[in-house]
Amino acid sequence: MIQTILGANGQIGEELASALHSNYTDKIRLVSRKPKRIHATDELFAADLNDAKAASEAVKGSSIAYFTLGLPMDTDLWEQQFPKITRNVIEACKEHGTKLVFFDNTYMYPQDGRVLTEETVFAPNGRKGKVRQEMAEMVLNEIAAGTLDAVICRAPEFYGPQKTQSITNSLLFDKVMAGEKLQVPLRDDTKRSLIWTPDASRATALIGNTPEAYGQTWHLPIDASRPTYKDLIQKLSEAYQKNFSYSVIGKFKFWVGSLFKKSVRELQELLPRYVTDNIFSDDKFRKAFPDFQTTSFGEGIEIIKQEQEKAKLKS
């Protein structure tokens, strides 16, 4: 049967399609408003998942549906659309007997330096975190009630190749590409838990195709070194053979920026995670899937470097 990716145009969706195609099936349906084929055998399905009927048709005939859909960093939009889309997808999966793999983030977790595990109690810091809590609890409630065969795959902040979007990518790797001074949010000496986006997608495909993994939450695997931004910039300097300078953006500068830029204003509730160590535990995954190989920061930086060099040659 078909495995369907809902929100197939994003970085995770595209890499998930590649992971599924390489390791599990060539029967893949890509769903988004304007889906784009990745493999010759991909089935394209255009749909707005705000519409319950469209969501049902998108899921119909699928053995597994992967929820990887993202929305722009707009709190009002998240509150208006994310819960509705999540409910539509859940009902569609229940209607068609389809398993749901729900790709999640960590916005609903407390941002106070504690070690984050799958058992950490939700304590969101702002409106976006509350939306993500609501979405996750919808899935968890269905699992608890036995009405949906589902699994949650949760990832910390991204870093990665191609069109990966994250604070780390925008303030470090994108600025390297642009030849600009690097920037660090709030502190350069706190430990960061970052996930390489292709690893996140490969692990999600693995969990989705492991029947005994369902009915629970999984933290996806990361490089266990958890470098500080200072460490990460040192790795960048070594890889590029260039001594990169950087500045630390303080709270006041973020506050001033929020007065003039909506994009900066939307980041405010996420800033506490950069003041303390961010320790995202993937112990459960590593014990269950000991053969899974994660990408080291050195390897990831080298891949990004090679991509940037190719892009410069084309420009």
Side-chain angles (χ1 to χ4, degrees), residues 36-172:
K36 298 177 181 178
R37 186 170 282 106
I38 299 172
H39 312 98
T41 54
D42 292 344
E43 175 188 336
L44 303 184
F45 192 99
D48 177 356
L49 298 177
N50 282 289
D51 181 272
K53 185 176 180 180
S56 176
E57 290 299 314
V59 168
K60 186 177 180 180
S62 307
S63 58
I64 304 172
Y66 299 83
F67 187 109
T68 65
L69 185 140
L71 291 174
M73 288 289 279
D74 182 317
T75 301
D76 292 337
L77 186 66
W78 280 35
E79 291 175 339
Q80 293 162 12
Q81 295 193 12
F82 256 149
K84 182 179 181 180
I85 291 171
T86 304
R87 175 51 58 194
N88 288 344
V89 169
I90 287 173
E91 293 304 320
C93 289
K94 290 165 67 175
E95 177 186 358
H96 298 295
T98 300
K99 293 181 178 180
L100 175 62
V101 179
F102 186 81
F103 189 89
D104 203 6
N105 65 26
T106 60
Y107 287 14
M108 75 294 292
Y109 280 153
Q111 300 181 34
D112 56 8
R114 75 183 71 184
V115 176
L116 302 173
T117 73
E118 289 85 352
E119 305 304 319
T120 298
V121 176
F122 296 162
N125 184 57
R127 290 165 61 193
K128 282 187 286 294
K130 290 178 180 178
V131 171
R132 294 304 308 196
Q133 175 180 357
E134 181 181 358
M135 295 164 69
E137 288 180 343
M138 285 184 192
V139 179
L140 291 170
N141 289 340
E142 297 288 348
I143 291 173
T147 50
L148 178 68
D149 198 3
V151 61
I152 294 177
C153 297
R154 185 165 290 136
E157 183 184 340
F158 297 159
Y159 88 104
Q162 299 171 359
K163 57 182 181 182
T164 298
Q165 295 184 0
S166 72
I167 292 177
T168 296
N169 261 60
S170 63
L171 296 184
L172 295 187

